[in-house]
Amino acid sequence: LIIICIASAFVATFLVDVMARVPGNSSFQRRIEFVNIFDEYWGRKGMQLAQMMFIMNMIAQIVSSIVSNAQVMDAFIVFLNPSQTTYAIQVLPYIDIISWSPPKDEHGSPIAWEDSAACHASQVVPFQDDSGSRVIVTLGYLSLALMLVPMSTMNLDENIFIQKVSFFMLLILSGEFLLQFWMQGLGHHEVPAFGHDSSHVLGSIIFNYAYIAIIPSWVNEKRSDVSVPKTVW
């Protein structure tokens, strides 16, 4: 985590330095985006290669985010729905309308949140399909699309209010997350410094610090008195 964090900060700083070295952009007076940097130094073919890799990188980040956030939205729908059920349209292998409800305990009641950590053997993730044989469009996915598609038409300065709300929501939910940990009780057993399988952890860490591609857009929108090194580091 620390290594990826430091590496990302260095790359972001060097990328901004390269932007400033573009002719006529020493004070970021030109609008230089990510792929324009490659056009300036590597020519048209270099820009096309960078554009292709940029799109592949953004798709990899977006797909994983859409899936995880759609599952969270489905869980939220279950929380709001008195019947504690959410629905989806199954497209493959055949068209059908399916539903999902959280697992129940031995008395038929929904598992309490304080007991959810011990039920990892149950299907606690909405519409989880380990076989990957189904293609579905969930109610949470559609709700998420209705909220986010209009935002995709805005640039960074137009949706700055939404970004500020998201930031404060992140702080509030992180505090609520820590509160739940404290209420469930903290474990006192030793955690090994290195596990046997880090494949899943490495991917999550890299995606968390994969903000390099949006650094040029942020530089174009920031005020002139905002320090890049102080903000990044």
Side-chain angles (χ1 to χ4, degrees):
L1 180 63
I2 296 177
I3 294 175
I4 298 297
C5 175
I6 295 175
S8 297
F10 270 117
V11 172
T13 306
F14 292 151
L15 182 61
V16 175
D17 181 68
V18 172
M19 289 180 61
R21 294 175 185 271
V22 173
N25 197 45
S26 58
S27 300
F28 308 114
Q29 58 268 38
R30 294 175 57 188
R31 190 172 186 90
I32 302 296
E33 295 293 348
F34 187 84
V35 295
N36 299 131
I37 300 174
F38 295 87
D39 189 21
E40 293 284 344
Y41 292 104
W42 289 2
R44 185 71 176 175
K45 291 185 177 180
M47 186 199 71
Q48 292 174 346
L49 177 62
Q51 183 79 56
M52 181 181 65
M53 297 181 66
F54 175 81
I55 293 175
M56 292 174 61
N57 172 67
M58 296 304 294
I59 289 176
Q61 295 184 57
I62 291 172
V63 167
S64 61
S65 298
I66 289 175
V67 173
S68 60
N69 283 280
Q71 290 173 336
V72 172
M73 183 61 70
D74 277 306
F76 185 61
I77 292 174
V78 170
F79 175 76
L80 296 178
N81 190 355
S83 64
Q84 296 187 324
T85 305
T86 184
Y87 301 90
I89 299 175
Q90 179 176 280
V91 181
L92 293 175
Y94 55 88
I95 297 179
D96 192 13
I97 297 179
I98 59 178
S99 62
W100 180 89
S101 298
K104 305 293 193 299
D105 57 19
E106 62 273 11
H107 303 292
S109 302
I111 296 178
W113 66 267
E114 61 267 18
D115 299 327
S116 59
C119 66
H120 42 269
S122 303
Q123 296 291 326
V124 295
V125 179
F127 300 107
Q128 181 175 348
D129 182 16
D130 295 330
S131 64
S133 60
R134 298 187 304 175
V135 176
I136 62 175
V137 180
T138 71
L139 187 59
Y141 176 85
L142 294 176
S143 303
L144 198 66
L146 289 175
M147 290 189 295
L148 298 184
V149 168
M151 299 180 192
S152 66
T153 63
M154 307 177 185
N155 56 32
L156 290 179
D157 58 342
E158 289 175 343
N159 64 13
I160 188 64
F161 175 75
I162 300 173
Q163 296 178 56
K164 291 180 178 179
V165 172
S166 299
F167 174 73
F168 286 110
M169 287 297 296
L170 175 63
L171 294 180
I172 293 173
L173 294 177
S174 297
E176 189 268 344
F177 204 46
L178 294 175
L179 178 62
Q180 287 194 21
F181 282 156
W182 178 76
M183 294 178 66
Q184 291 188 39
L186 301 178
H188 301 286
H189 58 281
E190 295 182 356
V191 178
F194 301 96
H196 299 290
D197 184 10
S198 302
S199 57
H200 300 292
V201 177
L202 182 61
S204 301
I205 293 174
I206 292 177
F207 276 127
N208 286 337
Y209 285 98
Y211 60 88
I212 310 302
I214 65 172
I215 286 294
S217 298
W218 168 72
V219 171
N220 291 325
E221 300 294 346
K222 75 176 185 64
R223 296 199 310 263
S224 58
D225 59 334
V226 175
S227 171
V228 172
K230 290 181 179 179
T231 304
V232 172
W233 289 96

